[in-house]
Amino acid sequence: MSGSPIAVFDLGKTNSKLFVVSSEGRVIDEARTRPVWRDEGDLRVLDDAALFGWMTAELARAVAAHGVDRMTFSGHGCTFALVAGGSLVHPILDYEQEPPAEIAARIDAMAPDFQETFSPPLPLGFNYGRHLLWLNERDGDLIAKAEAILAYPQFWTWKFSGRPVSEVSYLGCHSNLWAPLRDDFSSLVDRMGWRSRMPEFAKAGEVVGTHKVTRDDGRSVEIAVHNGVHDSNAALYFYRSLGFTDFTLVSTGTWVIIFNPASPLERLDADRDMLANVTVDHQPVATIRFMGGREYDVASGGWTKPVSAEAVARVIAAKAFALPSFAPGGPMPGHEGRFVGPAVAGEERAAVAMLYVALMTDLSLDLIGSENAIVIDGGLVKTGLYASVLAALRPGQTVHTSANPEGSAFGAAALVFDAIGDNPFVNDCAVAEPASIPGLDEYRRQWRNHVDAMASAEAVSREEKRA
């Protein structure tokens, strides 16, 4: 095994990060940037050159400062790249844009059946096969110009190694491009003639090439490039590598992604943003998700500090509620997020937002049939009371929190360490103590009454449209 640190680029939609992880499994350096999404004509696209420039500069710094000799990537979902030669044939699309209605009607009719892909019909580019079809509608020759269709982590793997590869956890992430039960590309891929543009598979964490870094002294260093991975699937891998077996993972960031491997796929409801993800070892996993980090940011008014128990108690006593949804997708689609009850501001607004995200998580756990242990990972742990409120809402389950909120990056690192022979990570998760907040159970009951009424109305509306 190499005793040198590795560089992990954890590439989120809102924040992209570099973590330098030592051979002992500690973060010894880190850096962050915000990807630039710019308008190009009528589309919003990634400034990939700016992000690549930041990544190469930070990698060179990490090599010089720490002797890094390996690198890998974990990437947010829903994003792809079309490449030929050494460049993009089209800019990388921001997944948060909706095709024109007349195009959407045509391309949505082309989606495979839910029972084939376990990808629910989602808005915007949340099924990235939908955005591929949109580009095909805009220019019927575009995809033919591409030598490879690359998932987002594999774009960066290719950018640094020069080798185009595919990886199953990303293809299986509600893309409409993968059939989990067949462990093969979906009928859409073959119908559109895209199979020939899907590169050969490489496992997440596998070495796929090298990247040359030139040091300040003029010497060149070859860095091993390991294949990237879908971010929340990386988090699932990380906690499995720590010894967790029968558990539900609540992976939090811009999205709250909830994996319950114990849930049968038959439980999945396409109308409530339930889907099958696919693990790095090709196994389908029942999943439900909502844009919890984004919703917290919107509903809280951008609050960035921890929320106190006193503020939570005040808004519970006042019966101030936030109701779904403050972002697209999720188990309560078709509803505009709103507050009911007395007006709140500042920390009290953040308290209502935190309760909202905890209650949406609780609802999602019920929908996915979670009765096993819960592991919470990611940014929402930083709100302070999220884990302990969730523990209070689900007294029959043990809720674990990670001392390190960067599970996706650590999962990508664990894949590299496992590939080269020795995983140093140890389980340092803590058990969350249930919050003792008067009135929480009654608050939950009243919130659920609101939400159940909304869900019933939505179900009737869907049936009327189908009729």
Side-chain angles (χ1 to χ4, degrees), residues 411-441:
L415 284 158
V416 171
F417 285 127
D418 284 340
I420 60 179
D422 189 11
N423 188 333
F425 295 115
V426 295
N427 188 346
D428 59 358
C429 293
V431 174
E433 288 293 328
S436 179
I437 301 175
L440 179 61
D441 287 344

Side-chain angles (χ1 to χ4, degrees), residues 41 66 68 106 133 218 221 226 252 325 331 356 372 408 447:
H66 305 290
V68 162
R106 288 197 298 274
L133 289 170
V221 179
H226 293 249
T252 74
S325 293
Y356 165 78
N372 44 17
S408 59
W447 186 87

Side-chain angles (χ1 to χ4, degrees), residues 263-280:
S263 176
L265 299 186
E266 292 77 16
R267 193 180 184 103
L268 301 177
D269 182 348
D271 291 327
R272 304 199 76 169
D273 213 343
M274 301 174 74
L275 56 127
N277 267 286
V278 178
T279 68
V280 296

Side-chain angles (χ1 to χ4, degrees), residues 149 154 164-168 171 185 198-203 227:
I149 301 171
Q154 282 61 59
V165 295
S166 297
E167 192 281 316
V168 73
L171 278 166
F185 291 108
M198 298 296 183
E200 64 179 342
F201 279 85
K203 293 180 179 179
N227 194 18

Side-chain angles (χ1 to χ4, degrees), residues 112-120 168-187 201 233 265 268 274-279 281-287:
D113 186 77
F114 180 70
Q115 297 304 320
E116 179 191 353
T117 63
F118 293 95
S119 299
V168 73
S169 74
Y170 205 98
L171 278 166
C173 173
H174 52 83
S175 67
N176 270 339
L177 303 179
W178 192 252
L181 299 183
R182 292 204 316 270
D183 194 27
D184 195 6
F185 291 108
S186 73
S187 57
F201 279 85
N233 269 286
L265 299 186
L268 301 177
M274 301 174 74
L275 56 127
N277 267 286
V278 178
T279 68
D281 54 358
H282 291 249
Q283 298 303 306
V285 176
T287 307

Side-chain angles (χ1 to χ4, degrees), residues 39-281:
D39 291 331
E40 186 167 293
D42 60 342
L43 296 176
R44 194 166 54 255
V45 300
L46 176 68
D47 188 339
D48 63 290
L51 188 53
F52 183 58
W54 176 82
M55 293 167 74
T56 54
E58 287 299 329
L59 178 64
R61 184 183 64 79
V63 169
H66 305 290
V68 162
D69 65 358
R70 297 177 183 276
M71 66 185 305
T72 194
F73 315 88
S74 103
H76 67 84
C78 315
T79 303
F80 64 93
L82 302 173
V83 303
S87 61
L88 288 163
V89 300
H90 190 279
I92 295 172
L93 290 181
D94 178 352
Y95 65 69
E96 291 187 84
Q97 49 195 324
E98 178 68 16
E102 68 278 7
I103 293 177
R106 288 197 298 274
I107 64 179
D108 289 346
M110 301 170 68
D113 186 77
F114 180 70
Q115 297 304 320
E116 179 191 353
T117 63
F118 293 95
S119 299
L122 298 171
L124 311 178
F126 294 167
N127 303 122
Y128 80 77
R130 189 173 191 248
H131 268 190
L132 274 168
L133 289 170
W134 182 22
L135 289 184
N136 187 67
E137 285 275 334
R138 289 170 62 93
D139 179 354
D141 297 325
L142 179 65
I143 296 177
K145 297 173 186 174
E147 294 171 0
I149 301 171
L150 299 178
Y152 192 55
Q154 282 61 59
F155 169 73
W156 294 109
T157 300
W158 166 81
K159 192 79 172 166
F160 279 89
S161 72
R163 180 181 166 192
V165 295
S166 297
E167 192 281 316
V168 73
S169 74
Y170 205 98
L171 278 166
C173 173
H174 52 83
S175 67
N176 270 339
L177 303 179
W178 192 252
L181 299 183
R182 292 204 316 270
D183 194 27
D184 195 6
F185 291 108
S186 73
S187 57
L188 176 65
V189 171
D190 288 326
R191 191 161 71 243
M192 297 303 297
W194 295 340
R195 188 180 283 260
S196 64
R197 286 168 175 76
M198 298 296 183
E200 64 179 342
F201 279 85
K203 293 180 179 179
E206 178 182 332
V207 176
V208 296
T210 60
H211 176 74
K212 184 181 291 185
V213 174
T214 302
R215 295 163 47 111
D216 289 342
D217 60 10
R219 290 190 299 140
S220 294
V221 179
E222 293 286 336
I223 305 299
V225 180
H226 293 249
N227 194 18
V229 63
H230 174 230
D231 55 5
S232 55
N233 269 286
L236 181 65
Y237 183 88
F238 177 61
Y239 291 103
R240 283 179 159 171
S241 78
L242 295 183
F244 285 100
T245 52
D246 183 18
F247 71 106
T248 297
L249 174 65
V250 180
S251 177
T252 74
T254 300
W255 290 88
V256 172
I257 314 284
I258 299 174
F259 296 85
N260 183 13
S263 176
L265 299 186
E266 292 77 16
R267 193 180 184 103
L268 301 177
D269 182 348
D271 291 327
R272 304 199 76 169
D273 213 343
M274 301 174 74
L275 56 127
N277 267 286
V278 178
T279 68
V280 296
D281 54 358

